[in-house]
């Protein structure tokens, strides 16, 4: 295939993808078509197959350099893929937290599951709520294995006071996918609960996020 034939093929490949997305809408379109549009005229069936072969979660975690090592596309095209996943991440983690009202542990899980379920390290995150239990802020307090010596109540409630929060909900993820609380999880929870009572900002819950599963330490009777 000479350059002219390749350019015609690539243009036709992208055009078909655009027509598919236009007909089905972006929510119903498949990953192949979406990636084809993002990459543009550099896309072809072989490139798209290689990109989707390892799965969307793996692709979402790759850098532009890693994408370019996997398939022969330009840095600009690779950066567009990275930016697209970045935009999607912002969409699922940013807008809802400012207007959602927390009533049940399930509300916490639905809000934070998209952000936390695929993390490969433990992240300890706090949600800060107003008197109507609406989320007014979020802060990652610690990244690494959960331990009472490093997840200090001072850091949690310093952020809560800074935001004039009325209540706090803490979360962390288990990369194993199993949300069953450990003895250290329970110890951290009790420390935070006691500190919250002292400063007058109650700990409403500590939710552990697994792979499409969660566990509330309040529901388990620890709070």
């Amino acid at each position: 295939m000479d350059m002219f034939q390749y350019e015609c093929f690539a243009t036709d490949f992208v055009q078909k993808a655009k027509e598919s997305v236009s007909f089905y809408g972006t929510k119903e379109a498949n990953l192949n078509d979406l990636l084809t549009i993002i990459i543009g005229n550099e896309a072809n069936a072989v490139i798209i197959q290689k990109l989707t072969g390892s799965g969307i979660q793996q692709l979402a975690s790759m850098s532009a350099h890693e994408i370019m090592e996997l398939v022969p596309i330009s840095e600009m095209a690779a950066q567009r893929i990275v930016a697209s996943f970045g935009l999607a991440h912002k969409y699922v983690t940013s807008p809802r937290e400012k207007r959602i009202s927390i009533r049940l542990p399930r509300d916490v899980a639905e809000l934070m599951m998209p952000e936390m379920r695929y993390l490969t390290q433990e992240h300890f995150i706090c949600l800060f709520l107003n008197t109507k239990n609406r989320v007014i802020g979020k802060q990652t307090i610690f990244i690494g294995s959960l331990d009472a010596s490093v997840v200090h109540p001072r850091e949690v409630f310093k952020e809560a006071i800074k935001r004039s929060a009325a209540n706090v909900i803490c979360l962390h993820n288990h990369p194993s996918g199993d949300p069953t609380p450990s003895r250290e999880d329970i110890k951290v929870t009790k420390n935070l609960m006691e500190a919250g009572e002292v400063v007058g900002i109650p700990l409403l819950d500590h939710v552990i996020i697994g792979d499409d599963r969660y566990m509330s330490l309040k529901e388990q009777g620890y709070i």
Side-chain angles (χ1 to χ4, degrees):
M1 182 183 293
D2 61 28
M3 183 59 67
F4 176 77
Q5 290 175 315
Y6 176 82
E7 289 176 354
C8 290
F9 170 77
T11 302
D12 184 61
F13 194 78
V14 174
Q15 183 59 37
K16 288 179 178 178
K18 288 180 178 179
E19 290 171 358
S20 176
V21 170
S22 178
F23 182 81
Y24 292 108
T26 54
K27 290 183 179 180
E28 299 299 328
N30 62 42
L31 180 61
N32 289 16
D33 289 339
L34 294 173
L35 282 172
T36 300
I37 292 174
I38 292 167
I39 295 171
N41 286 342
E42 295 179 50
N44 61 48
V46 174
I47 288 175
I48 298 302
Q49 184 177 18
K50 283 187 177 181
L51 287 173
T52 58
S54 55
I56 190 170
Q57 297 303 329
Q58 179 66 28
L59 183 59
S61 68
M62 295 174 71
S63 66
H65 179 71
E66 290 171 333
I67 292 172
M68 291 168 65
E69 287 185 336
L70 179 64
V71 292
I73 58 175
S74 67
E75 182 177 0
M76 180 63 71
Q79 291 286 6
R80 286 201 298 268
I81 295 173
V82 173
S84 296
F85 281 112
L87 183 62
H89 178 75
K90 290 291 185 184
Y91 174 76
V92 299
T93 61
S94 298
R96 291 182 63 209
E97 68 187 41
K98 295 185 181 297
R99 56 179 187 266
I100 191 170
S101 181
I102 302 296
R103 298 180 179 86
L104 299 167
R106 182 179 66 247
D107 298 330
V108 181
E110 289 178 352
L111 175 66
M112 298 299 294
M113 185 82 71
E115 176 179 351
M116 299 183 70
R117 66 182 291 194
Y118 296 115
L119 294 173
T120 57
Q121 283 184 285
E122 288 192 14
H123 284 56
F124 189 85
I125 298 175
C126 289
L127 299 178
F128 305 104
L129 283 61
N130 62 17
T131 55
K132 295 182 179 180
N133 281 354
R134 291 185 177 275
V135 178
I136 57 174
K138 180 184 72 174
Q139 182 70 37
T140 299
I141 303 297
F142 178 75
I143 299 175
S145 298
L146 199 65
D147 187 285
S149 65
V150 292
V151 181
H152 199 284
R154 178 180 60 246
E155 300 305 318
V156 172
F157 291 100
K158 179 180 70 175
E159 296 296 332
I161 293 168
K162 185 189 300 183
R163 292 169 168 80
S164 299
N167 301 291
V168 176
I169 293 175
C170 295
L171 307 95
H172 79 280
N173 63 300
H174 282 178
S176 67
D178 180 2
T180 303
S182 66
R183 283 183 294 180
E184 198 64 40
D185 296 340
I186 295 167
K187 183 178 180 181
V188 168
T189 301
K190 291 186 179 298
N191 288 350
L192 291 172
M193 185 171 60
E194 291 170 1
E197 291 172 354
V198 171
V199 300
I201 304 176
L203 176 70
L204 294 186
D205 205 346
H206 181 180
V207 178
I208 303 174
I209 301 294
D211 186 3
D212 204 29
R213 294 184 291 162
Y214 71 92
M215 188 164 289
S216 159
L217 272 74
K218 181 176 183 179
E219 289 183 335
Q220 295 297 310
Y222 294 106
I223 296 177

